[in-house]
Amino acid sequence: DNGFSFTFTDKLRAIENLKEKNFQGVILYYHEEKHCDHLLNRFKEFVAHGGGVLAIHSAMASFKENKEYQDILGGRFLGHGAVRELKVVSKCKQLHTLKESLSFSIKDELYIHEYHGNNRVLWACKYNGKEEPVVWTKSYGSGRVCYFSLGHRSKTFQNKAVQEIISHALHWITGSGVDI
């Protein structure tokens, strides 16, 4: 009921067909995929020419040694803490259209990143006395990228705030007029 239609695949090579099949966006949710230069080039071209990307949790822990992939997503995976209760707080209240998600608590695994300074951090939480981004957005060429770092537990996606963030992120990466 959100106006999207989805094609699901567990084959990374499907990236080859994103542009030809006129996909507006792609959701990445995989772990430690081995990349091939051809696929990365097709992915980079898709995003640079206006394709949207929503990368979730372990997508950031993939292709750990590939700087181009990290540049597209806006950061580099460094590690993670234990699954624990996290307090996630909005960093962008003045632009907020979300009702549920100004702040929320959730039990999940927090990924730690080295992230680009030009990312727009939307939600964060404290970890070892330091603020760690949980959701950020950025541009890559004319494409839109959103990274959501939570998602280790399936129960995470039952959280209403998480559902709202992901829904708004999908609308934003596809240029559907919603700002997150």
Side-chain angles (χ1 to χ4, degrees):
D1 59 343
N2 58 17
F4 292 105
S5 62
F6 295 91
T7 301
F8 295 90
T9 182
D10 62 354
K11 306 292 185 237
L12 192 60
R13 69 177 175 265
I15 286 173
E16 281 186 302
N17 301 317
L18 290 172
K19 192 171 183 182
E20 288 79 8
K21 295 201 175 192
N22 292 320
F23 284 100
Q24 291 178 294
V26 62
I27 300 170
L28 305 177
Y29 190 32
Y30 50 73
H31 187 36
E32 293 190 42
E33 294 286 340
K34 304 283 186 263
H35 85 277
C36 103
D37 289 337
H38 171 71
L39 290 179
L40 182 61
N41 286 337
R42 293 300 294 260
F43 177 61
K44 184 170 69 170
E45 181 181 297
F46 170 76
V47 181
H49 291 98
V53 178
L54 171 58
I56 298 175
H57 191 60
S58 53
M60 184 64 75
S62 299
F63 312 130
K64 293 176 190 166
E65 304 303 317
N66 192 294
K67 183 160 176 13
E68 284 184 296
Y69 181 77
Q70 295 165 5
D71 286 345
I72 294 168
L73 296 189
R76 183 170 72 91
F77 171 78
L78 298 177
H80 59 78
V83 172
R84 66 184 181 104
E85 195 69 27
L86 302 168
K87 171 81 173 187
V88 180
V89 178
S90 171
K91 304 305 295 175
C92 204
K93 292 176 177 76
Q94 72 277 13
L95 297 175
H96 246 285
T97 58
L98 303 179
K99 296 178 180 124
E100 298 282 338
S101 341
L102 292 178
S103 68
F104 60 97
S105 293
I106 193 161
K107 188 173 184 178
D108 204 81
E109 174 185 73
L110 181 65
Y111 268 25
I112 310 304
H113 307 91
E114 179 180 277
Y115 59 97
H116 298 174
N118 61 343
N119 295 347
R120 182 173 164 229
V121 176
L122 302 177
W123 284 270
C125 65
K126 294 285 185 189
Y127 181 75
N128 289 338
K130 180 183 161 205
E131 188 170 271
E132 181 62 34
V134 171
V135 179
W136 68 63
T137 60
K138 68 177 296 276
S139 296
Y140 184 84
S142 59
R144 294 177 175 201
V145 177
C146 181
Y147 176 62
F148 180 75
S149 72
L150 303 177
H152 184 73
R153 302 172 68 228
S154 61
K155 192 167 185 169
T156 296
F157 299 102
Q158 296 171 9
N159 181 291
K160 295 290 185 199
V162 169
Q163 291 173 0
E164 194 171 0
I165 289 168
I166 288 174
S167 175
H168 277 73
L170 287 171
H171 283 281
W172 183 78
I173 68 164
T174 58
S176 300
V178 173
D179 192 11
I180 58 171

